Amino acid sequence: MSDEVKAEANSTMIRDTPESWEVIETKERFQGHIIRVVTDTVNMPRDEAAERDYVVHPGAVAVLALDGQDRVLMIRQYRHPTRHLLWELPAGIRDVAGEPLVAGAARELAEEAGYRADTWHTLVDLRTSPGMSDERIRVFLARDLTKIETDFVHRHEEIDMPVEWVPLADAVEKALMGMIHNSPAVAGILAAYAASAEGFAQLRPADAPEE
């Protein structure tokens, strides 16, 4: 087998795959407005059963909006658990039953930043903290942007939330320098920078299925 064929075979193996080990018992520890905390007793295939605590989360979507000057739209929001003002991408919880993910992303872009996008792609899918939560975030790339008027009323942390346009290359530098910490923002910025080298030709369509 040639080195090229071996490399291709090995690359196809590097892929997350579904797997579900037997759950002997589930105990609910907390029920909140958005999340639940549970403890599963999991039957380990080659060991004794073990308890695993985790957060059950509805999931979220985020939008890396890129304008014609290769600038990323970023917002700054107070995040109480971190005690920080974080620079982020427009994002929101998947809280509308049956809503396509890209439709939810378009709604968040309009509500949080006041923009509409005509071109959408799936940029990157994240499991934000798989050791303690089942949260999934899909980050979309949105282009061909138009400023729109919206009557959405911001509340709580979103009041007076600033919106800034950051050159993509500068955003990459800030992420690598530890100046941007929000995980979908960092992942989206780096993914967009990498994908731009191929003119975004390798990106999946906006309605690509989640695995």
Side-chain angles (χ1 to χ4, degrees), residues 22-123:
E22 179 189 11
V23 176
I24 301 170
E25 182 182 17
T26 297
K27 296 178 182 177
E28 185 162 304
R29 306 296 190 180
F30 171 78
Q31 172 72 64
H33 177 61
I34 295 173
I35 64 169
R36 293 188 297 126
V37 179
V38 301
T39 300
D40 280 352
T41 303
V42 183
N43 189 15
M44 300 292 169
R46 285 173 292 278
D47 203 350
E48 73 261 14
E51 291 188 342
R52 293 292 178 261
D53 304 322
Y54 63 98
V55 174
V56 179
H57 192 284
V61 292
V63 185
L64 189 137
L66 194 67
D67 72 2
Q69 302 176 56
D70 283 340
R71 298 181 304 172
V72 180
L73 186 154
M74 301 199 72
I75 59 178
R76 191 183 69 181
Q77 187 167 345
Y78 176 65
R79 294 298 186 181
H80 185 71
T82 71
R83 306 303 198 272
H84 274 72
L85 289 166
L86 297 182
W87 285 99
E88 306 182 353
L89 306 178
I93 296 169
R94 304 179 187 185
D95 55 0
V96 178
E99 181 179 54
L101 297 183
V102 68
R107 176 167 48 82
E108 295 295 342
L109 180 62
E111 292 177 353
E112 293 193 348
Y115 279 86
R116 183 186 72 239
D118 291 332
T119 303
W120 290 85
H121 287 89
T122 295
L123 184 57

